[in-house]
């Protein structure tokens, strides 16, 4: 049974990072295709403004608070999530576990060459990890069938979809029924970090809940995306 908090219509799991990994492992070993999404304030706002996207997010089997803004929102609603569960961290923990069990992962997304470099690095970081296949994230709808085919042929149990939101969640939702993997995760720019293209914030920023500031300083052109944050907090205040 899931315990969730409703944040502007999005059901966000009230779960610790440790329990989220255990849940992800359970989903990986459950028949059928499960989905994990990890919304930040920008994604929650997008869903608030787009009922179809909201419906997709709410079809998740696990939906974690990625972003301190979502954690604050849950506190403002007096129904707090225990902590932030970043998609990147959840992915790392899950990969480290499946490196021991041999279940394969397929890496889908990012610019050409990135997923391949991510594969090389991940195999070094997690000895034993089986990367069953990879594919860049630039394609047209005509490619969908062959992408699904490639993923199914690979025999992977876990599919990381890194196309950015809402594209990744929409892609998972549209093809969930014909995928043979057990678990899909929409985890944004994770492949860029695994490939060494982008850096995760230093620990001190993460511990101080300032990862967003680090990313903003590194990529000032993301400023437009951060404009969603005050709007998000104000909307939660108004609606909550
Ligand atoms: N991307 C992709 N296909 C697209 C658009 C984006 O594969 O059509 C990739 C992009 O190369 C990047 C990731 O999706 O690797 C999105 O990263 P971003 O930092 O925007 O995601 P976030 O983690 O902030 O959601």
């Amino acid at each position: 049974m899931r315990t969730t908090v409703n944040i502007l219509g999005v059901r966000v799991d009230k779960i610790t990072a440790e329990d989220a990994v255990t849940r992800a492992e359970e989903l990986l070993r459950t028949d059928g295709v499960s989905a994990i999404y990890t919304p930040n304030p920008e994604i929650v706002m997008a869903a608030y403004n787009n009922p179809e996207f909201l419906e997709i997010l709410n079809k998740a089997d696990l939906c974690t608070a990625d972003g301190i803004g979502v954690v604050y929102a849950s506190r403002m609603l007096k129904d707090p999530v225990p902590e932030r569960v970043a998609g990147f961290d959840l992915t790392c923990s899950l990969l480290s576990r499946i490196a021991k069990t041999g279940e394969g992962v397929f890496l889908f997304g990012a610019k050409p060459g990135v997923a391949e470099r991510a594969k090389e690095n991940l195999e070094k970081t997690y000895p034993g990890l089986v990367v069953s296949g990879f594919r860049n994230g630039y394609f047209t709808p005509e490619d969908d069938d062959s992408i699904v085919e490639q993923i199914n042929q690979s025999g992977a149990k876990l599919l990381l979809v890194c196309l950015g939101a809402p594209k990744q969640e929409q892609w998972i939702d549209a093809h969930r029924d014909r995928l043979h993997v057990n678990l899909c995760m929409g985890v944004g720019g994770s492949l860029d970090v695994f490939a060494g293209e982008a850096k995760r914030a230093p620990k001190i920023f993460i511990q101080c809940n300032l990862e967003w500031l680090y990313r903003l300083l590194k990529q000032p052109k993301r400023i437009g995306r951060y404009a969603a944050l005050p709007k998000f907090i104000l909307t939660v205040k108004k609606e909550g």
Side-chain angles (χ1 to χ4, degrees):
M1 250 283 279
R2 290 172 66 193
T3 317
T4 56
V5 47
N6 179 327
I7 303 183
L8 297 182
V10 179
R11 288 174 63 202
V12 178
D13 284 80
K14 291 163 64 176
I15 196 166
T16 61
E18 202 180 324
D19 287 347
V21 192
T22 303
R23 180 76 189 122
E25 251 191 317
E26 278 167 18
L27 293 172
L28 190 71
R29 290 179 193 139
T30 305
D31 286 341
V33 186
S34 300
I36 298 182
Y37 303 133
T38 63
N40 58 21
E42 190 192 354
I43 295 177
V44 175
M45 270 320 271
Y48 178 71
N49 291 314
N50 177 345
E52 275 169 38
F53 182 42
L54 178 66
E55 203 184 315
I56 291 176
L57 282 187
N58 283 338
K59 283 194 227 165
D61 298 278
L62 177 65
C63 187
T64 70
D66 184 339
I68 197 63
V70 180
V71 177
Y72 282 143
S74 73
R75 290 182 193 158
M76 277 164 62
L77 294 167
K78 308 236 172 336
D79 197 5
V81 297
E83 60 183 331
R84 177 183 179 210
V85 183
F88 181 80
D89 297 329
L90 181 57
T91 305
C92 291
S93 305
L94 188 58
L95 292 180
S96 110
R97 293 205 189 172
I98 66 170
K100 298 188 187 91
T101 56
E103 284 139 324
V105 56
F106 192 102
L107 312 176
F108 174 31
K111 297 202 177 101
V114 173
E116 190 171 4
R117 282 200 294 286
K119 169 180 155 62
E120 286 160 15
N121 291 345
L122 285 172
E123 285 169 345
K124 279 186 213 136
T125 310
Y126 303 107
L129 181 71
V130 179
V131 178
S132 312
F134 56 85
R135 170 96 190 35
N136 73 66
Y138 293 83
F139 57 94
T140 62
E142 288 77 55
D143 300 319
D144 280 341
D145 287 349
S146 69
I147 296 172
V148 169
E149 173 84 7
Q150 190 192 346
I151 294 166
N152 286 344
Q153 293 273 329
S154 78
K157 288 268 177 261
L158 172 65
L159 171 63
L160 301 184
V161 185
C162 301
L163 307 173
K167 202 170 179 184
Q168 59 203 13
E169 292 83 5
Q170 288 164 337
W171 196 91
I172 292 171
D173 189 64
H175 304 289
R176 208 167 157 169
D177 289 348
R178 53 199 189 115
L179 284 166
H180 297 165
V181 298
N182 284 1
L183 177 61
C184 303
M185 295 175 72
V187 280
S190 297
L191 290 182
D192 293 317
V193 181
F194 291 138
E197 296 283 306
K199 273 211 171 66
R200 190 84 200 278
K203 268 209 176 84
I204 184 75
F205 278 80
I206 297 176
Q207 279 160 359
C208 297
N209 293 324
L210 289 172
E211 184 168 18
W212 60 274
L213 178 63
Y214 177 84
R215 294 181 81 180
L216 180 60
L217 294 172
K218 280 272 168 194
Q219 293 173 275
K221 63 175 193 277
R222 292 172 75 105
I223 187 78
R225 296 173 55 162
Y226 288 85
L229 190 61
K231 214 169 178 187
F232 167 73
I233 296 292
L234 286 174
T235 314
V236 173
K237 228 175 184 165
K238 195 177 80 193
E239 300 273 311

